[in-house]
Structure formats: C-alpha cells, structure tokens
Amino acid sequence: MLPAALRLLVIGWSTLGGMFPASAADLPVRSVPTRPTAPSSVPAPPVAAAVTPKATAAPVQRAVSTPRVKLPSPELRSTAKSPAASPAPATLVYIGAKEMARTLNLTPKWDPATRQLTLLDAQVTLVLERDQRETDLNGMRVFLGAPTVWRNGELAVSQIDFQRLLLPAIRPLNLSGPTPGLKVIAIDPGHGGRDTGKVNAGQKVLEKEATLDTARRLKLLLEAQGFTVVLTRSDDRFVELAERPEIATRESADLFISLHFNAVEAEATRVTGVEVYTMTPQFQLSADRRLDDHVPVFNPGNAMDPWNTVLGYHLHRALLSSLKVPDRGLKRGRYAVLRLARCPAVLIEAGFLSHDGEARRIATPQYRQEIAAAIAAGVHNYVTTVAAVRAQQAGLRKAAKK
Ligand SMILES: [Zn+2]
C-alpha cells in the first residue's frame, strides 16, 4: 500500500499491464488552492469574439496563482516485468472526494440516497455516481475510463481520470507544460472512395458524402477565423486510416478533427444524437471495448491526453448546444486516427444515419452547415482556452522572475 498520507488507494485491477512510460504521458498539473486567494495578476483570458454563438460560449475559468504542487506522479503500481497488450494496469491509484475537491477548489456534497457526489462552485457542477463511469459535467455526459469506487468512506475516481479528464476539463488554466499550437487545423472527412461508411438507403445518404461536404463547410468557417486548414481528402477517394493522421503531421497540423456519422443496428428508430471521442488514456478502457483489441498499450496520441480532453470538451459542448440533439456523451476510443495523431485530436460522430429522421436532417445542406458552425464555435472556445493557458503561464513566469 502507499503511505496513508497520500490519501490514495491502490487496488488490484484486471491483468498485468506494462510499465508506465513516464516521459510522454506524465501530466504536470498545478493544484488549485484550498481557499480563495487574492485575485492574481495573471492577464485575463482573451474574450471570446463575435464568432462564438452565445449559447456555446464557454467561459474560461480564472485560475488562481498558486505554488506548483504536483500531484503524485506514479499513477500505477504495475508488477509487470514486460509490457503487455492489455490496456488495463495491474493496479489503479484512486483519488478520494476530499482530495478532488481540494485540488479542483470545489465544494463536495455527498448524497447517500442517490449515491452521488456533487462537486461545485458558481461555474462548475460535476456529479459523480458511485460505481459508475458516467458523470455529469456542467450538464453534459462525460464518461470516465474506470468506474468510481467507494474507498475509506468516500467516493473516489482513478487518478488517470482525474489528471487526464476531470482536471483538464474543469481547470484547464492549471495545466502546465507546453501548450499546443493554434495555426493549422486538419479536418478528416471519414471514409471515401470504395469505403462508403454508413448508408441510409431510404434517405439516400452516404456517410462518405456527408462527411466530405461537412468538412468543406467547416474548412471555410475555420479559414474565416484565420486558420490554415488542410483536408485529409478533398474528393471522393479512399484514404487508409493510418495515412490520415500522417497527412496531418506532414502538414504540421496543430489540431485534428475526424468527421463521422453513426449507425446502430438495434433500436435504430430510437437512437439519435452526437458523441465525441478522444484518445483513450493508457491503461484505461475505451467506451467500446472492441476498440481496445489488438492495439498497442501506448500510442502517440496519448502524449496529448489533457489537450485532447480540452478539445473534446469544447467540441461536444458546442455541438450539443447548437444542434439540440440527445447527448450521447464525451467518450474515449482507440480509433486509429486518434492513436496516431501527433496533435490534439477528436473524432466526432455528428448524428445517426440509422435513424430516418436524423438521416433526413443530415441529408440537408442547412443541417450540415449547422454542424460545421457548431464545430467551428467549439474550436474557437478551445483556442480561447489554450490562449488563456499560455497567458497564465507567461504571467507566472514573469512573476517568478521578479
Ligand atoms: Zn464513420
């Protein structure tokens, strides 16, 4: 066991995993102070410009200047001698409610009747339920990589979820380390050529056509915001999955957005809505466990774990807010394009072609324009957040020199 002072718990979980490659995956974070301090001298984050629809404007939380306190860095206590293919670690480190509340500077409220822990302040509401992966973050469904547990008389989440999901989503300004670039955006229209993707024959919609058209619309909107935009395909051609993130890397992309439309076989008349995926952190399980089969235990996309979260959070939020469709959740998946991306990356499933009503909407240029506009607004909010993190870091560096 770890020293009790760490207030962390280690439990056995699943089969042996590999040793954790600390270099690429360690996430430096600063903790938020336990009690409010005087307003910091950090420059205010850039104000969201007019391109942000009011409904999706996500206020960038003000971080409080604070001494850097690193969270305990070894997330995992693996007893494995050699790396294994399993995405699950031998053991998981957990962070309890009190520690979470202190680090995030939120007030905890435990309700034994609903088995729910709410962490909140004036801007943030996070609801975690005992033994569940699904959480509610500011009214949005966000899925943890491991279920919450009950330990030492309080609810606890895995440290990987805390460091790579909750903290970047809730307190991005407290991320330290290099920030991603903000100039070149790669848009990846899913499928193409002989790969049609999902098809709704009745509504005459092919996924490969809907993704390409939406990508073209998004390109124009992002170019109008001043970004350089590259497409992984600009016509109806087949592109290998692995080649798509390679194109982005070759073009020095700072951001990778893969566009898809969804389908289900069961309950096709019922299931609609949007889901957004980011890369599954190492030693966690994807929302769909088939995505974990036969994939490496560590992937290049994991180097961007916290920024993937920041990007996914803003895109999912903007899509839900603009499209007013059911929330299928911000999830994780080891999709090839996300595994191999060298910059923050998301895969968006913007609607269900298996649902005739939703397919009918997706078939219209107006709706694809709405999807593109929502994504552009989400990108804008992400960029605003990254810029604010940079300003925060610059402010801290300046203060340190004095
Ligand atoms: Zn697809």
Side-chain angles (χ1 to χ4, degrees):
M1 287 295 287
L2 287 172
L6 287 178
R7 277 174 283 166
L8 297 172
L9 281 159
V10 180
I11 65 156
W13 188 45
S14 189
T15 50
L16 297 182
M19 292 302 292
F20 198 76
S23 57
D26 260 1
L27 166 59
V29 291
R30 292 191 305 273
S31 83
V32 181
T34 39
R35 58 189 96 79
T37 63
S40 74
S41 57
V42 169
V47 176
V51 291
T52 310
K54 62 236 164 288
T56 63
V60 175
Q61 305 266 331
R62 208 153 117 113
V64 197
S65 182
T66 166
R68 289 174 182 232
V69 182
K70 271 191 96 171
L71 287 170
S73 58
E75 296 174 341
L76 310 158
R77 306 282 145 161
S78 174
T79 52
K81 291 209 172 66
S82 62
S86 166
T91 54
L92 267 187
V93 178
Y94 281 88
I95 291 196
K98 285 191 275 304
E99 177 89 13
M100 274 194 278
R102 189 183 65 75
T103 311
L104 295 170
N105 201 19
L106 296 171
T107 303
K109 285 191 178 135
W110 169 250
D111 181 351
T114 58
R115 294 154 56 98
Q116 285 180 339
L117 169 72
T118 304
L119 295 167
L120 76 168
D121 68 6
Q123 285 89 36
V124 176
T125 305
L126 169 67
V127 184
L128 298 152
E129 194 174 334
R130 185 173 165 176
D131 303 324
Q132 298 296 320
R133 289 176 84 183
E134 182 171 344
T135 73
D136 181 313
L137 175 56
N138 300 330
M140 205 163 86
R141 294 173 79 197
V142 175
F143 286 82
L144 301 173
T148 61
V149 294
W150 188 257
R151 291 287 181 276
N152 281 1
E154 61 176 4
L155 185 138
V157 300
S158 84
Q159 193 178 355
I160 305 177
D161 278 316
F162 185 75
Q163 288 198 345
R164 284 147 209 262
L165 179 65
L166 299 179
L167 194 136
I170 295 170
R171 299 289 183 215
L173 291 199
N174 289 82
L175 293 170
S176 59
T179 51
L182 299 174
K183 293 192 182 78
V184 182
I185 298 178
I187 307 172
D188 174 43
H191 312 279
R194 64 176 187 265
D195 173 15
T196 54
K198 306 295 191 315
V199 177
N200 186 313
Q203 303 300 323
K204 300 188 178 59
V205 198
L206 300 182
E207 184 182 359
K208 68 170 184 176
E209 291 175 1
T211 58
L212 181 58
D213 181 76
T214 308
R216 286 175 174 152
R217 293 169 186 277
L218 177 58
K219 181 174 189 282
L220 293 177
L221 293 172
L222 292 173
E223 283 171 345
Q225 284 188 34
F227 296 105
T228 300
V229 179
V230 293
L231 299 181
T232 57
R233 67 177 178 96
S234 48
D235 52 21
D236 183 19
R237 72 176 65 198
F238 179 78
V239 182
E240 294 285 356
L241 288 176
E243 202 184 326
R244 296 167 184 257
E246 272 171 28
I247 293 168
T249 303
R250 210 158 55 224
E251 301 287 339
S252 306
D254 298 309
L255 197 61
F256 182 90
I257 300 170
S258 190
L259 294 177
H260 288 259
F261 291 91
N262 229 328
V264 286
E265 280 172 25
E267 300 190 271
T269 55
R270 190 184 63 85
V271 178
T272 62
V274 166
E275 55 194 17
V276 171
Y277 286 86
T278 59
M279 178 61 195
T280 312
Q282 192 186 20
F283 298 124
Q284 290 203 314
L285 295 169
S286 298
D288 181 343
R289 299 198 180 174
R290 286 171 298 184
L291 293 169
D292 299 329
D293 288 342
H294 312 296
V295 299
V297 69
F298 185 75
N299 295 276
N302 287 119
M304 290 291 160
D305 279 345
W307 299 109
N308 290 339
T309 294
V310 176
L311 179 62
Y313 175 83
H314 284 297
L315 289 186
H316 194 51
R317 188 179 166 112
L319 281 159
L320 290 177
S321 171
S322 297
L323 302 180
K324 310 268 186 273
V325 291
D327 178 1
R328 300 273 306 168
L330 176 59
K331 300 174 173 173
R332 263 79 83 73
R334 287 186 172 84
Y335 290 103
V337 292
L338 301 181
R339 279 196 279 121
L340 301 170
R342 303 271 172 180
C343 58
V346 289
L347 186 146
I348 295 169
E349 296 277 6
F352 281 80
L353 291 178
S354 45
H355 187 280
D356 281 344
E358 199 153 74
R360 207 174 299 127
R361 290 175 83 189
I362 293 165
T364 67
Q366 294 86 336
Y367 192 62
R368 294 193 298 269
Q369 185 67 27
E370 279 182 51
I371 293 171
I375 296 170
V379 168
H380 177 82
N381 289 338
Y382 162 80
V383 165
T384 304
T385 301
V386 176
V389 175
R390 284 184 185 175
Q392 163 92 357
Q393 291 182 354
L396 288 176
R397 276 196 299 274
K398 216 169 151 189
K401 275 186 196 154
K402 278 180 189 164

